[in-house]
Amino acid sequence: MTEQALPEQLAEIRDDFLDLEVKTRLQLLLEFSNELPELPTQYADHPDLLERVVECQSPVFIFVDVDDAGVVQMFATAPREAPTTRGFASILVQGLSGLSAEAVLAVPDDYPNSIGLTEAVSPLRIRGMTGMLARVKRQIRSKTA
């Protein structure tokens, strides 16, 4: 993974995970799960605006907004009974929101593999987070074309 392409907040999240023992990383993921913000009303009232992330085992829906200045805001929803998936969504919401579209597009596609959870969760779960990141980038490309 290219270090220079990694925005500061994503680098900090990665380092927080890597500073922990593997078994403790799941606890941090659970903390992220609990921090996933609720959807703003304009999206909660219009679920048709959200995109399903089919790579995830649990029903995860995302929406990415890019304002006129090119600043990204990511929104996601996932069931509370799917803490791993919610945690992954929360990491991306917290790590990508507020960045420029260019900065998000430059995030390495393998970022989910770099946070030290490949030893703690199944490859299928990591693939779900990778799918979320890919869909965020696709939405940004579509909105900035």
Side-chain angles (χ1 to χ4, degrees):
M1 185 168 69
T2 306
E3 182 68 31
Q4 71 185 54
L6 200 57
E8 184 178 341
Q9 57 261 44
L10 284 176
E12 286 177 12
I13 291 169
R14 180 204 56 211
D15 294 346
D16 286 347
F17 276 100
L18 295 177
D19 286 345
L20 299 172
E21 293 181 30
V22 173
K23 58 186 172 188
T24 312
R25 292 176 189 166
L26 288 176
Q27 183 60 39
L28 181 56
L29 186 61
L30 180 60
E31 290 174 25
F32 271 99
S33 170
N34 292 329
E35 295 171 359
L36 181 64
E38 294 295 320
L39 287 177
T41 305
Q42 71 262 32
Y43 304 115
D45 291 346
H46 293 281
D48 54 303
L49 296 175
L50 302 170
E51 177 180 2
R52 170 95 192 251
V53 181
V54 295
E55 294 86 352
C56 291
Q57 293 176 334
S58 302
V60 177
F61 296 86
I62 65 167
F63 182 81
V64 178
D65 185 41
V66 182
D67 69 15
D68 293 339
V71 176
V72 171
Q73 292 299 319
M74 179 185 170
F75 306 96
T77 182
R80 292 208 175 271
E81 51 278 355
T84 300
T85 304
R86 277 182 67 85
F88 287 151
S90 182
I91 288 169
L92 292 176
V93 167
Q94 292 182 50
L96 301 177
S97 292
L99 297 177
S100 69
E102 296 79 23
V104 175
L105 293 173
V107 171
D109 294 336
D110 66 345
Y111 175 77
N113 293 312
S114 74
I115 60 176
L117 287 170
T118 54
E119 302 90 2
V121 299
S122 73
L124 191 59
R125 298 242 183 232
I126 297 293
R127 194 177 92 202
M129 186 180 185
T130 303
M132 280 186 236
L133 180 58
R135 288 175 183 279
V136 166
K137 289 181 174 189
R138 187 189 51 69
Q139 284 191 27
I140 291 170
R141 286 186 191 101
S142 172
K143 292 172 187 209
T144 59

